[in-house]
Amino acid sequence: MGESSISTPLDFNKIVKDVEKTLSKYPLCDHCLGRLFAKYGVGLSNRERGFSLKTMLGFKLHDDYSSKRIGEDRLYALAENSGEPLTRMLQKLFTQNVSPRKCFICGGRISDEWLDSLAEAVYEKLREASVTRFVIGVRLSRKLREKELSLIAEAGFTRAESLKNEVKREVGKRVMIKYGLMPDFEKPEATAIVKLDEDLNHKVELVITPVLLKGVYNKRGRNISHVPWFTKQGGRKYPLSIQEYLESRLTIPFKAKKVKIHAAGREDVDARTLGPGRPLVIEIVEPLVRSYDIGNINELIRSDLVEVRVSEPASRRDIELLKQTSRERRKVYRLLVISPTPVSETQLNELEAFFRNVSIQQRTPIRILARKKDVLRVRKVYEVRTRLVTSTSFEALVYCDGGLYVKELVHCDQGRTNPCFASILNTELKPVELDVLYIEH
Ligand SMILES: [Zn+2]
């Protein structure tokens, strides 16, 4: 209730006039009329509310008619759009039967029995998936939504409840009372989505809440992708992916449909990820088993090649944060670089001296142009340390912003990355090994 309703007493004349105005335009059943005035009263169903409003309208119309302020036509029109108790009143006054028109919104389908049948359909779905804590979602067809909007817009009612909300509330209540399952808005095991078409035929879909786990991973080997990667011919490009590895370990114990991973960025497939690892969230999709022990999970997924360590449960928000912050996380890379001509210690010292807090301009690398838009990206290199391995190869540690294409920093990508190692050393360079050593957490 707004502040105005505290200071001003309820204006019943106004309410009855609004009911009359609405019913002179739209035929409405008790449920659908009551829903337009849902903010009035407490502990009432919309059906009770609607019937009461029609009764009040009956008082007014009877008085208007008796005092000759309105004629028979007006009474008939309103009775046709209202049904009971106005039709009964006309029966009494003129011994004439009026057949009421079908409700503009629901065609007369909404009833306690109809809500019961929805609750039963929801319960069946929840039972099949052994769900005890649920929430209900409602999706109305576009036409139904438009009808409801046109009615509410016309009536200008700020006191209305939406059909969606009524169905959600009434069905949820019934599932709880009749079947003993608990609505849980914080941590539901599943969302039962009731879909209603224009004729209010229903379909129930169950969306099982995924289990989300927060952790980090290390890739101790090369040529391991995040997700399975296939060639155009349908063959495998790489033998192993982190996602498939986790799927092979977690699908069965969780009785899940599949496993997805969400990581804070991703390294090149041929790069290893060493050091403290890269943050990720594991999403167990449609699990039928929902209780777990983190220690047991870590035992299940233990491996030398793909090392994942789960620390705690995660939320959807954690996934968003991972994506948002991946660019902000600074990195340390290790590269093994070879050159066709000898490289000296002095040259490497010059390289280190040059790449101190330098902004690097990079156009999208040629190797990924087919997949990504050609844009200019500016990232910073904070520090480079080098070590000569042989006269034609050296190791480099690069401390830089997230999102820097570090291989291109070495070989220049035909001038698309600037400045770069090759231009400073004035020779062609080839990065042959890449490791991620550190990702800011
Ligand atoms: Zn209706």
Side-chain angles (χ1 to χ4, degrees), residues 314-435:
S315 66
R316 283 270 161 218
R317 178 88 193 111
D318 290 319
I319 298 177
E320 280 166 39
L321 276 176
L322 273 189
K323 309 266 168 199
Q324 283 165 14
T325 55
S326 81
R327 287 277 171 264
E328 295 155 20
R329 295 169 194 263
R330 292 185 185 181
K331 314 265 168 30
V332 176
Y333 294 102
R334 172 198 160 268
L335 292 137
L336 183 63
V337 181
I338 54 172
S339 154
T341 52
V343 177
S344 70
E345 293 272 6
T346 324
Q347 278 179 300
L348 290 184
N349 289 340
E350 281 168 19
L351 190 80
E352 287 186 4
F354 182 87
F355 285 99
R356 283 257 157 90
N357 302 316
V358 178
S359 290
I360 311 293
Q361 309 227 343
Q362 297 195 298
R363 298 212 70 89
T364 302
I366 293 167
R367 66 187 159 101
I368 58 171
L369 261 184
R371 289 182 276 134
K372 286 200 172 166
K373 230 172 50 193
D374 187 9
V375 290
L376 181 71
R377 179 186 274 196
V378 180
R379 293 289 188 276
K380 230 168 166 185
V381 169
Y382 299 97
E383 197 176 344
V384 171
R385 296 274 184 84
T386 57
R387 183 173 69 91
L388 205 55
V389 179
T390 67
S391 61
T392 55
S393 67
F394 66 93
E395 198 179 49
L397 297 183
V398 178
Y399 176 42
C400 60
D401 279 334
L404 178 92
Y405 296 112
V406 71
K407 285 176 183 167
E408 281 67 21
L409 173 73
V410 172
H411 64 61
C412 301
D413 205 24
Q414 298 179 15
R416 296 171 68 85
T417 288
N418 186 39
C420 65
F421 287 10
S423 65
I424 299 301
L425 296 181
N426 201 21
T427 177
E428 275 180 33
L429 292 177
K430 192 175 171 192
V432 288
E433 276 181 11
L434 173 63
D435 294 322

Side-chain angles (χ1 to χ4, degrees), residues 28-32 35 103-110:
L28 292 172
C29 71
D30 295 348
H31 279 272
C32 294
R35 199 181 313 112
C103 174
F104 169 70
I105 295 289
C106 75
R109 282 205 72 176
I110 300 184

